[in-house]
């Protein structure tokens, strides 16, 4: 197996005594946040024992992962390309893991594409770029009822039929609920190969199920190690006490900034190739899990934002420093990068001579530290996370870490981090607008309440006093 996981979590820059400007967490507030975290963990554990929550079990389903890896190896002998059709939790985790560990340059396997949009100008060219006779299509939808994925699948099947005729069925795999939904019925009716998503695992918590494991495995990712890393994080979480437990510590910090002393925005500033895709996965996890009403009806949530170091230092940093004090920052980087290249010694103007002969990484690290320093000086709360290595074990552990932190923070706030009523309503409206049978009432209500406004001409100018004469 692997060599064990290493992380550095640094919460020192959110302590009130370490942060100028009054936005740090005072010790008594942190102690009560830790108390709430303890109670939230107990409550989640009870739900887990009752089988209501399934994501903590995923790292231990190693037999299933091994079987998936064997199937993926068979796909690898027959095909050259794998096209994932899916959206949200059915797509983001796969892309995050693949790119975080280095994409096709790091692992040999099928060429992986993830189609998570029905923008015709993106989807049609993507489909056309696939050699369909050598492509396996993996359509992923936990519910099976997502219009976008259904439309994509129909188009992909049509392209497969054109390329390989009746053999199209050998080139379509569905990943969905084990017993219900459109995809499950389709798998049964057409005799398509399928994999199940455990019913107690929601989309954005499902990357370590067949949802992520099948496509990742086919792309060469060592999914056993992905699970092993997550299992090690689970063990750290289970067996470490108090503030030595990074999951509990992080949950207390973020719960504080979610609703005790709210910062409406959390920015992930990533410094390291591939990390922005993890940030994209986290964005969905954090936004969709925590953007809810609390029991007292008050809205909760924290807008998850992404910034890439060093690029966004020249785009967003000014705002972060001098704009509204409404953000908590999470800096994420690899402990050690891969490249060791050095900037040539000769050829610099005297003012820039300090760059010559130095590893480019020195500049990257200096920018990282400089940015943290600038934000800290401006009194912004900052958490730092460093990931030991850019490999499957560490990425698996990191994703699992964030799933737990998100679940606990939601539980602390008294909201259900595992549902997504707003997303479901959006899906129902989209289907109704497309003319779904049985949704006529919803369509009529939409037309009555909203459509008139959406489709009206913009007339704001008419309210302005008419201009006389020439400009
Ligand atoms: O996290 C979630 O549950 C959602 O974001 C879903 O992943 C997304 O809406 C896609 O749903 P489905 O997998 O049912 O097609």
């Amino acid at each position: 197996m692997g060599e064990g996981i290493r992380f550095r979590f640094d919460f020192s820059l959110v302590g009130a005594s370490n942060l100028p400007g009054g936005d740090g967490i005072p010790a008594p507030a942190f102690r009560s946040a830790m108390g709430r975290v303890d109670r939230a963990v107990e409550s989640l554990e009870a739900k887990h024992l009752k089988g209501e929550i399934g994501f903590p079990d995923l790292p231990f389903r190693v037999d299933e992962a091994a079987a998936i890896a064997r199937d993926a190896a068979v796909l690898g002998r027959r095909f050259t390309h794998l096209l994932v059709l899916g959206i949200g939790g059915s797509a983001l985790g796969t892309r995050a893991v693949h790119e975080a560990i280095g994409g096709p340059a790091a692992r040999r396997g099928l060429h992986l594409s993830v189609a998570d949009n029905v923008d015709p100008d993106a989807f049609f060219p993507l489909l056309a770029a696939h050699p369909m006779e050598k492509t396996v299509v993996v359509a992923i939808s936990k519910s099976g009822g997502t219009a976008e994925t259904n439309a994509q699948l129909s188009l992909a099947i049509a392209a497969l039929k054109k390329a390989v005729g009746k053999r199209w069925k050998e080139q379509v795999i569905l990943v969905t609920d084990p017993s219900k939904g459109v995809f499950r019925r389709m798998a049964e009716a057409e005799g398509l190969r399928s994999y199940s998503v455990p019913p107690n695992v929601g989309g954005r918590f499902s990357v370590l199920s067949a949802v992520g494991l099948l496509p990742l495995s086919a792309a060469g990712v060592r999914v056993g190690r992905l699970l092993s890393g997550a299992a090690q994080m689970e063990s750290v979480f289970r067996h470490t006490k108090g503030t030595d437990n990074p999951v509990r510590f992080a949950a207390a910090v973020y719960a504080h900034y979610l609703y005790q002393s709210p910062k409406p925005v959390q920015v992930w500033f990533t410094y390291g190739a591939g990390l922005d895709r993890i940030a994209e996965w986290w964005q969905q996890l954090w936004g969709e899990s925590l953007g809810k009403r609390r029991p007292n009806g008050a809205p909760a949530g924290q807008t998850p934002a992404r910034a890439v170091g060093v690029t966004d230092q020249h785009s967003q940093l000014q705002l972060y420093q001098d704009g509204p004090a409404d953000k908590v920052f999470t800096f994420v980087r690899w402990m050690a990068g891969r490249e060791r290249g050095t900037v040539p010694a000769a050829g610099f103007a005297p003012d820039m001579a300090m760059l010559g002969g130095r590893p480019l990484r020195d500049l990257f690290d200096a920018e990282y530290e400089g940015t943290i320093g600038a934000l800290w000086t401006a009194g912004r709360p900052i958490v730092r996370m460093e990931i030991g290595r850019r490999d499957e074990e560490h990425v698996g552990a990191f994703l699992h870490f964030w799933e737990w932190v998100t679940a606990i923070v939601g539980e602390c706030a008294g909201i259900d981090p595992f549902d997504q009523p707003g997303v479901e309503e959006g899906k129902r409206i989209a289907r109704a607008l497309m003319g779904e049978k049985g949704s006529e009432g919803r369509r009529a209500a939409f037309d009555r309440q909203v459509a008139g406004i959406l489709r009206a001409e913009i007339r704001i100018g008419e309210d302005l006093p008419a201009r006389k004469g020439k400009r």
Side-chain angles (χ1 to χ4, degrees):
M1 262 296 160
E3 300 160 34
I5 53 169
R6 275 183 69 214
F7 284 87
R8 222 175 273 139
F9 296 102
D10 179 0
F11 303 102
S12 59
L13 299 184
V14 295
S17 52
N18 272 346
L19 191 66
D23 272 354
I25 310 177
F30 181 72
R31 274 194 297 277
S32 36
M34 279 300 275
R36 282 191 298 276
V37 163
D38 290 345
R39 291 190 290 283
V41 170
E42 268 174 38
S43 153
L44 287 169
E45 189 45 29
K47 290 179 188 170
H48 177 217
L49 288 174
K50 278 195 260 164
E52 291 168 16
I53 299 171
F55 82 86
D57 301 323
L58 295 179
F60 304 101
R61 292 168 65 125
V62 283
D63 290 346
E64 183 191 34
I68 288 176
R70 282 194 297 277
D71 294 352
V74 175
L75 296 177
R77 288 196 283 278
R78 206 172 146 199
F79 302 104
T80 55
H81 288 62
L82 186 146
L83 175 60
V84 170
L85 308 176
I87 197 163
S90 293
L92 292 167
T94 295
R95 198 159 48 202
V97 173
H98 192 230
E99 295 203 15
I101 61 161
R107 302 284 179 265
R108 283 179 52 180
L110 295 186
H111 179 281
L112 174 70
S113 310
V114 179
D116 66 347
N117 202 323
V118 286
D119 175 354
D121 293 346
F123 186 70
F124 284 112
L126 178 71
L127 197 57
H130 279 75
M132 292 314 283
E133 66 292 346
K134 285 292 203 183
T135 298
V136 58
V137 172
V138 179
I140 306 174
S141 176
K142 163 108 195 270
S143 63
T146 303
E148 294 92 325
T149 314
N150 275 275
Q152 289 175 329
L153 179 58
S154 298
L155 285 161
I157 289 176
L160 281 172
K161 282 183 177 164
K162 204 163 152 208
V164 300
K166 287 193 177 129
R167 284 188 292 116
W168 71 269
K169 291 189 185 183
E170 296 166 20
Q171 294 183 218
V172 173
I173 299 175
L174 302 183
V175 181
T176 190
D177 186 272
S179 61
K180 57 181 198 288
V182 179
F183 271 28
R184 179 51 59 198
R185 288 197 292 280
M186 182 177 177
E188 281 160 13
E190 300 284 356
L192 300 177
R193 191 152 15 128
S194 67
Y195 294 84
S196 295
V197 192
N200 57 0
V201 176
R204 55 197 176 275
F205 290 84
S206 71
V207 56
L208 300 180
S209 74
V211 168
L213 299 186
L214 176 65
L216 286 168
S217 210
V221 174
R222 299 170 298 187
V223 295
R225 292 191 181 190
L226 199 62
L227 294 196
S228 148
Q232 289 173 63
M233 184 55 78
E234 179 75 18
S235 164
V236 169
F237 169 56
R238 297 266 160 207
H239 303 300
T240 318
K241 292 209 175 359
T243 49
D244 287 337
N245 186 318
V247 174
R248 288 179 190 244
F249 204 136
V253 167
Y254 291 115
H256 176 86
Y257 287 120
L258 183 83
Y259 67 94
Q260 287 298 117
S261 182
K263 294 281 177 203
V265 181
Q266 182 180 168
V267 179
W268 264 38
F269 225 131
T270 55
Y271 281 74
L275 290 174
D276 187 44
R277 285 300 194 193
I278 299 193
E280 192 181 38
W281 168 86
W282 161 80
Q283 233 175 354
Q284 186 212 10
L285 183 73
W286 202 250
E288 205 167 298
S289 302
L290 303 179
K292 311 261 164 77
R293 296 266 165 197
R294 299 193 63 206
N296 61 5
Q302 197 172 50
T303 303
R306 306 185 339 244
V308 174
V310 302
T311 312
D312 286 313
Q313 288 171 217
H314 302 266
S315 163
Q316 303 299 303
L317 188 55
Q318 173 61 43
L319 165 75
Y320 297 162
Q321 267 179 270
D322 292 339
D326 60 351
K327 302 174 189 66
V328 52
F329 293 88
T330 302
F331 278 72
V332 184
R333 72 167 173 175
W334 306 112
M335 255 180 226
R338 286 182 180 157
E339 300 290 340
R340 299 272 168 270
T342 300
V343 179
F348 281 100
D351 289 355
M352 286 286 160
M354 74 285 180
L355 297 174
R358 303 269 301 272
L360 185 59
R361 189 160 302 283
D362 282 3
L363 177 60
F364 193 52
D365 290 348
E367 303 261 359
Y368 168 82
E369 283 175 13
T371 303
I372 291 178
L375 289 172
W376 178 78
T377 310
R380 308 306 188 216
I382 297 164
V383 172
R384 287 187 290 176
M385 301 191 174
E386 297 191 352
I387 307 172
R389 281 190 314 275
R390 196 176 169 195
D391 64 12
E392 286 88 341
E393 268 184 313
H394 285 81
V395 171
F398 196 56
L399 300 185
H400 199 63
F401 168 87
W402 273 100
E403 287 175 355
W404 264 120
V405 171
T406 305
I408 296 168
V409 169
E411 189 71 23
C412 285
I415 58 184
D416 181 352
F418 303 108
D419 68 0
Q420 56 286 321
V423 178
E424 302 304 339
E425 181 59 6
K427 287 184 185 184
R428 283 190 287 270
I429 292 174
R431 289 200 302 264
L433 293 183
M434 290 299 288
E436 181 185 55
K437 259 201 181 147
S439 296
E440 294 79 6
R442 192 180 300 275
R443 166 76 197 244
F446 184 88
D447 282 349
R448 235 182 4 259
Q449 293 161 5
V450 190
I453 294 168
L454 287 185
R455 293 175 194 144
E457 269 178 61
I458 298 170
R459 291 177 185 280
I460 296 171
E462 289 185 358
D463 297 330
L464 300 173
R467 294 195 185 191
K468 297 239 164 65
K470 289 190 191 156
R471 288 217 220 170

